[in-house]
Amino acid sequence: MIALTPSRKRLLGETGWVFAGQAVSALGTLVGLRLVTEVVPPAVFGTVALAAGVVALAHGLALGPMMQAALRFYPEYANAAGGAAALRLAVTRGLRGPSFGALLLLFGLLAVWSLAADQNAWLGLACVLLFVVEAARSIEVTFLNAARKQRTMTWIISSDAWLRPLAAVALVWLLGASATAVVLGYVFGAALALLGYYAGRWITDTESRHLLLAQAAVPVDTKRLWAYAVPLTPLSFVGWVSGQSDRYILAAAAGLAPAGLYAALYGLASRPFMMVAGGFELALRQVYYGHVSKGDRSAECRVFRLWLAAVLGASLFLLLVIALFHRPIAWLLLAEEYRTHSHLMFWIAAGHLLAACTQVVERVCYAKNDTRGVLLIQAAGAGLSVVVVVPLSYVYGIYGAAWAVPIYFGLQLALAVWRALWAQSLHSSD
């Protein structure tokens, strides 16, 4: 029998909170998907999916690299009194320039889209507001996870998942079935969840009120942060291409309505795998980084094997469930006109099983400071996705887009395994 040491008890407790939060947020997302698809037609949902994809691109470019640096180096700074607060302040200041640049990019992309596709200009403003709210949320969630404060992080993620679609449906009832109303609902829902967290933190957390004193006490090596983060700058774009470009390609090939149908099926099939991969990452990533920072090779390998086995086992179970029950799942969670082609969920799910494993394997490169390797993996995956999706979508439409998912994610996993083994052997020889 394995003894429950204090560290193992803490890990079990954190894992429990993470998966409780993932379950509640997944339920909120799925219920929200049903509610939103009931009140807007596929063409409007397709527009929302494309608009949200542009916001995700800007968000990833602005915040993604520095957030990864914060996660990687948090265990080292947390060991010094005030070090965690000092790191947070340095990271927040470092995000000013990238965030401003991303806002300019977002304005430009939305202006071009508005003119080219005759979209409502208010949709662009709603997307800008969504970017601002998501940026603030990302900072809070990142540092809560880095500090292993999983219970508070769970509250933010769960409330956000429920409030966004509920607010979207409310605004659709008030303003009509438009993409602008849905995106504004996402803004209001996310803002309410964030404001609730801020109110609770202001009452209970005194540390956050003394960041300047903490910075004076613990200097942060910002050059080291940027050296880690800069190679990851293109990562958000290439990751966006891998995960989002298929619906844009499909929209160009077949129109907004098929893109909306595909986006709904994609979201429904991919969400459980994202929940599993994300849940285990939130629970185990900082534990894994901590062992790497200490040089404890045995513990590092043990956590990695547990992580990969858990993700693979849970993902195989999810794939079996979707293969057997895709029709009742679609009937339960999608409006009637979105249920067509529910069998395509299997191909999307198979691809995300491979993507979930890739996400775990990539963490070896992150932990060994091989951020260029991560970029290589993601860039290759992005290129492969375009090469595979474009011909299949133009020839077979929505079918081809779904068939392409396991092909390019499978090739990306093979490359990730090779690069992780290389990074591990290089680090071991140092």
Side-chain angles (χ1 to χ4, degrees):
M1 182 176 178
I2 299 175
L4 285 179
T5 62
S7 62
R8 286 175 178 166
K9 287 181 180 179
R10 181 186 179 189
L11 178 58
L12 285 174
E14 291 172 356
T15 304
W17 276 110
V18 165
F19 277 97
Q22 290 289 313
V24 173
S25 63
L27 182 61
T29 300
L30 295 175
V31 170
L33 182 62
R34 175 61 189 261
L35 292 175
V36 173
T37 57
E38 285 284 355
V39 297
V40 298
V44 171
F45 191 80
T47 303
V48 172
L50 298 184
V54 175
V55 175
L57 173 60
H59 176 272
L61 289 172
L63 281 82
M66 191 57 77
M67 293 297 96
Q68 292 297 334
L71 289 167
R72 174 61 184 87
F73 296 115
Y74 187 93
E76 299 177 20
Y77 283 98
N79 291 329
L87 177 64
R88 178 191 172 98
L89 184 59
V91 167
T92 304
R93 287 179 171 175
L95 289 172
R96 293 174 182 172
S99 297
F100 180 73
L103 276 174
L104 291 178
L105 174 65
L106 186 59
F107 271 119
L109 290 174
L110 292 170
V112 171
W113 186 30
S114 177
L115 293 174
D118 194 27
Q119 292 292 333
N120 191 326
W122 288 108
L123 178 60
L125 177 60
C127 289
V128 169
L129 293 175
L130 184 61
F131 169 84
V132 173
V133 174
E134 288 196 346
R137 174 184 176 275
S138 180
I139 293 172
E140 301 303 336
V141 169
T142 296
F143 277 93
L144 287 170
N145 179 232
R148 298 173 64 177
K149 295 180 179 179
Q150 314 294 20
R151 180 165 53 182
T152 307
M153 182 194 69
T154 291
W155 188 92
I156 296 179
I157 294 174
S158 301
S159 58
D160 182 275
W162 279 92
L163 288 171
R164 284 194 192 211
L166 291 175
V169 171
L171 283 186
V172 166
W173 283 340
L174 290 173
L175 304 177
S178 68
T180 302
V182 176
V183 175
L184 279 176
Y186 291 166
V187 172
F188 288 134
L192 283 173
L194 197 58
L195 288 173
Y197 164 71
Y198 284 148
R201 190 181 70 175
W202 180 256
I203 296 172
T204 62
D205 185 6
T206 58
E207 179 186 7
S208 61
R209 306 175 200 174
H210 302 289
L211 295 179
L212 291 176
L213 294 176
Q215 187 198 37
V218 182
V220 175
D221 186 355
T222 54
K223 291 183 178 179
R224 187 185 184 201
L225 295 178
W226 282 114
Y228 186 92
V230 166
L232 297 174
T233 302
L235 187 63
S236 297
F237 175 73
V238 297
W240 177 86
V241 172
S242 296
Q244 301 274 348
S245 64
D246 51 358
R247 59 208 66 185
Y248 293 86
I249 295 170
L250 184 59
L256 283 174
L261 290 172
Y262 177 75
L265 290 171
Y266 193 100
L268 186 55
S270 64
R271 179 64 189 179
F273 296 90
M274 294 170 62
M275 182 191 77
V276 165
F280 280 112
E281 180 168 319
L282 290 172
L284 297 174
R285 177 180 54 208
Q286 295 309 112
V287 179
Y288 178 65
Y289 282 171
H291 291 314
V292 173
S293 296
K294 295 175 184 176
D296 191 341
R297 175 77 174 132
S298 176
E300 169 194 333
C301 292
R302 185 169 61 251
V303 172
F304 176 78
R305 287 194 295 266
L306 171 65
W307 188 354
L308 183 59
V311 168
L312 179 58
S315 297
L316 285 170
F317 173 76
L318 290 172
L319 181 62
L320 178 62
V321 170
I322 289 175
L324 296 176
F325 303 108
H326 60 85
R327 286 189 180 87
I329 290 172
W331 178 85
L332 181 65
L333 296 172
L334 293 175
E336 184 175 356
E337 58 184 326
Y338 288 83
R339 297 169 192 163
T340 311
H341 310 311
S342 66
H343 58 282
L344 295 180
M345 290 168 58
F346 170 80
W347 298 100
I348 298 169
H352 278 82
L353 181 151
L354 300 169
C357 293
T358 301
Q359 186 175 329
V360 179
V361 174
E362 279 181 344
R363 281 297 151 186
V364 176
C365 298
Y366 278 108
K368 308 304 178 182
N369 298 335
D370 181 28
T371 50
R372 287 182 175 83
V374 178
L375 177 58
L376 171 65
I377 296 166
Q378 293 289 334
L384 289 167
S385 68
V386 173
V387 168
V388 175
V389 170
V390 169
L392 288 177
S393 294
Y394 273 89
V395 175
Y396 299 105
I398 191 173
Y399 291 92
W403 295 338
V405 179
I407 297 174
Y408 59 77
F409 277 137
L411 293 171
Q412 186 178 24
L413 174 58
L415 179 60
V417 170
W418 167 78
R419 186 69 186 197
L421 291 172
W422 179 87
Q424 183 68 64
S425 62
L426 187 67
H427 191 268
S428 299
S429 63
D430 291 343

